[in-house]
Amino acid sequence: MTVTRQDFEDAIAAYWGAKELQRDQSTIKAAVGAGTAGSVRGGKHFDVIAVLLSKFFLDAGYPPESIRVSKSQGLELPGYYRPQKQWDLVVVHEKVLVAAFELKALGGPSYGNNYNNRVEEALGSAIDLRRAALAELYPKEKPWLGYFFIMQDDEGSRRPVKTAKGALPADSIWQGTSYQNRFGIFCERLMAEQLYDAACYVTSSAENPKPIELVESLDWRHFSAAINARLTYLKDLGIPG
C-alpha cells in the first residue's frame, strides 16, 4: 500500500482522463468503503486524488471507516464563522481530526475570476477551521490541513498578467507574473502563515498529463513527507490505537 511517485503521476493522468489508474480494485474498495473507485465522491475528477491520499492513512493502520471521501459519509467539519464546511477528504479517528484536505483545480480559458475564487475559498476554509480549533471545537490534537491544487498548463495560464491600476499599488512581487506564478506565490504564503500544514501545487494538461512542479517546497515529495510526518507524530501518541 506504500504510495509511490508513480501512483501520484498516474493519479494526475487519470484526473485528465488520460488513462486508468493501475490499481487493485478490491484494495480501492476497501480503502474508501464506498463501492468501486468510480463511485467515490460522485464520479468527480478528483476521485482518483482522494483515493491516492487515502492510501497514506490505510497504510498507517487507520480503519476504512475513519477515512471519508464521499458526501454520503459526511465530509462536513465544524467552523467558527459558519456552522459547517464540507471538505474533500476527511480522516477522523476517535474524535481526532487526523487530516482534512481541499482538492481544487483551475482551468482555462478564463482564469481571472476563477483564480480569485480559488484564493478566497482556500483562505476562508482554513481561517474558519483554525478559528474553530481555537474555540475548542476540535478536541485532543490540533487539526492538520492539506491543500492539493492542479492548474491547467496552457498558454493562458503561462502568460504574464498585468495588475490593475488601483487606489494603491499592488505588492511588487506580483508584477509580470502569470497565473501559474501567482498560484505558486499564494501557496507559499499559505504555508508561511501556517494556514495549511502541507500544500501540493502542480500544473498539467490533458495533452501532457505528466505533472510539472514549479515550486520545490510545494512538490509531491514535500507534500507526501508532510503527510508521513503527521502520521508519525500521531503514531507516537498511540493513534490509531
Side-chain angles (χ1 to χ4, degrees):
M1 288 291 292
T2 302
V3 183
T4 67
R5 171 78 190 190
Q6 191 60 54
D7 288 334
F8 163 62
E9 294 190 5
D10 285 351
I12 298 295
Y15 167 85
W16 293 109
K19 66 176 181 177
E20 294 290 329
L21 276 177
Q22 300 302 309
R23 298 181 184 276
D24 180 342
Q25 292 299 310
S26 63
T27 300
I28 297 175
K29 290 171 67 175
V32 302
T36 64
S39 70
V40 180
R41 301 179 65 253
K44 296 181 180 179
H45 287 170
F46 268 111
D47 291 356
V48 289
I49 307 299
V51 171
L52 174 73
L53 297 177
S54 295
K55 287 180 64 178
F56 282 97
F57 301 93
L58 286 161
D59 192 41
Y62 287 86
E65 57 268 23
S66 294
I67 304 167
R68 298 166 181 245
V69 295
S70 67
K71 290 181 180 180
S72 64
Q73 294 173 300
L75 292 166
E76 291 79 11
L77 290 173
Y80 183 80
Y81 300 102
R82 53 189 165 183
Q84 295 173 305
K85 193 272 177 187
Q86 187 178 94
W87 290 70
D88 294 302
L89 169 60
V90 173
V91 183
V92 174
H93 187 73
E94 296 180 354
K95 297 186 178 181
V96 173
L97 178 55
V98 176
F101 292 88
E102 286 274 81
L103 312 176
K104 302 300 179 187
L106 179 61
S110 176
Y111 287 94
N113 289 335
N114 290 330
Y115 164 80
N116 287 327
N117 290 339
R118 295 295 177 269
V119 168
E120 291 167 9
E121 290 167 358
L123 288 173
S125 296
I127 290 170
D128 194 23
L129 192 146
R130 294 297 188 198
R131 186 60 184 85
L134 289 176
E136 300 183 347
L137 294 176
Y138 291 88
K140 300 183 179 181
E141 299 303 317
K142 178 183 176 182
W144 188 98
L145 305 181
Y147 189 65
F148 190 101
F149 194 88
I150 302 173
M151 180 173 287
Q152 183 177 342
D153 180 39
D154 65 13
E155 185 179 346
S157 64
R158 290 187 226 111
R159 185 188 307 122
V161 183
K162 292 182 180 180
T163 55
K165 187 176 181 180
L168 291 169
D171 186 340
S172 60
I173 196 173
W174 304 110
Q175 298 298 325
T177 55
S178 65
Y179 284 114
Q180 289 193 13
N181 300 141
R182 290 182 178 189
F183 221 88
I185 294 168
F186 170 62
C187 287
E188 287 182 302
R189 290 185 167 184
L190 284 180
M191 294 289 292
E193 295 295 323
Q194 299 182 342
L195 291 174
Y196 288 84
D197 297 283
C200 184
Y201 168 50
V202 304
T203 67
S204 179
S205 67
E207 296 75 22
N208 184 14
K210 188 176 179 65
I212 301 168
E213 296 153 299
L214 300 176
V215 183
E216 183 178 1
S217 63
L218 304 172
D219 66 11
W220 173 254
R221 188 168 60 97
H222 284 79
F223 189 66
S224 58
I227 297 172
N228 285 323
R230 172 63 167 179
L231 293 170
T232 298
Y233 170 79
L234 291 178
K235 181 180 179 181
D236 288 346
L237 296 175
I239 303 171

